[in-house]
Amino acid sequence: MLNAKAILTVEANDDIAPFPNRQMAVLRREERMVWLDLGRPESELLRPVPKATYRVEEYWDEPRQAAFAI
């Protein structure tokens, strides 16, 4: 059986943008069937989520380079 997956990305919202410039597209529960049935244009469904949707923290308890040391 073939098992294929895809992640659709959109422009990053203000929470994510300081890190990568893209984020995964998030469909709300009520938008799932609209997406599958092509009931609205992609541009209305595939968009960044509002600011403060994610809690983003940068955390390092030791230097990052040490993780690559042999």
Side-chain angles (χ1 to χ4, degrees):
M1 176 170 43
L2 179 63
N3 187 359
K5 296 174 177 60
I7 297 176
L8 299 174
T9 62
V10 295
E11 179 182 340
N13 72 356
D14 291 338
D15 300 326
I16 304 297
F19 305 101
N21 64 353
R22 305 289 294 167
Q23 71 179 60
M24 70 178 162
V26 177
L27 291 176
R28 291 168 179 80
R29 185 178 304 269
E30 63 273 9
E31 296 172 330
R32 291 179 188 166
M33 291 310 296
V34 176
W35 168 260
L36 293 173
D37 293 339
L38 303 173
R40 288 187 3 218
E42 290 179 7
S43 60
E44 290 182 19
L45 296 170
L46 302 180
R47 63 197 180 288
V49 294
K51 184 176 182 175
T53 298
Y54 302 115
R55 185 180 76 196
V56 179
E57 298 177 16
E58 190 169 1
Y59 173 77
W60 303 105
D61 60 351
E62 57 185 67
R64 295 193 299 185
Q65 188 61 36
F68 299 108
I70 296 177

